[in-house]
Amino acid sequence: MKLFQRETNWLQIFIGLLVLIIGSLVYIVDRPPGQTYFVYESRFDISLYNTLPNLFGTIGNILPDFSHVFAFILITAGILSTEKTGCMLMTIFWFLTDILFEFGQKFGPDAADQAPVWFEYIPFLENTSFYFKNGTFDWLDTAAILAGSVSAYFVLIKTMKGKEAP
């Protein structure tokens, strides 16, 4: 069983980055800047909240959950150039990671207390405790994570170099 190919899959990386950018627009355009880590921590004023009309409406509530897991799966698999088995493992890994973070919001302070101390020294992860304490758990977010994971897996299979028969 071969897990890795020799070449980076740039198509997968491109699709992943495109979807990540689209999902990130929700934070830049539709949400107040104080609610989003990478917006309020930015050196520049990147928020377009109340500058542009709301772009995403109701779908903006779950689009980031879909796009994050989808993009991370495609980008990681594209870099590692995984084969079909690797694609499945990558999908399961990112699905479980995102679900863990979503459920961390359900248990707020208890989950924040379980975050490893060394997270404080890693960019983006240093915000984990705050994310758990102040985030909101939503079953629709878990459905979006599942949909993003399944969609990403099918895109990976369709964009594999030297595809195997599915």
Side-chain angles (χ1 to χ4, degrees), residues 30-154:
D30 291 358
R31 296 195 183 167
Q35 292 182 354
T36 306
Y37 173 78
F38 79 88
V39 176
Y40 70 75
E41 285 290 322
S42 175
R43 291 182 180 162
F44 307 99
D45 182 13
I46 61 172
S47 177
L48 297 174
Y49 182 69
N50 283 337
T51 303
L52 296 178
N54 187 306
L55 290 180
F56 298 100
T58 306
I59 196 79
N61 294 330
I62 60 170
L63 182 62
D65 293 291
F66 176 93
S67 67
H68 291 158
V69 72
F70 181 95
F72 293 159
I73 291 168
L74 262 75
I75 293 167
T76 307
I79 291 169
L80 296 178
S81 298
T82 60
E83 292 288 343
K84 192 173 182 183
T85 304
C87 289
M88 180 58 72
L89 293 173
M90 198 75 53
T91 301
I92 291 168
F93 169 78
W94 280 114
F95 169 77
L96 291 175
T97 300
D98 276 36
I99 285 294
L100 218 105
F101 272 82
E102 184 63 31
F103 273 93
Q105 294 177 108
K106 182 177 177 103
F107 301 105
D110 292 331
D113 291 343
Q114 298 304 311
V117 174
W118 54 267
F119 273 21
E120 295 173 20
Y121 305 103
I122 299 176
F124 298 106
L125 290 180
E126 86 272 7
N127 193 48
T128 301
S129 291
F130 180 84
Y131 175 83
F132 288 151
K133 290 176 186 174
N134 297 296
T136 305
F137 173 82
D138 188 342
W139 284 107
L140 289 176
D141 291 345
T142 62
I145 292 167
L146 177 61
S149 299
V150 171
S151 299
Y153 179 75
F154 285 113

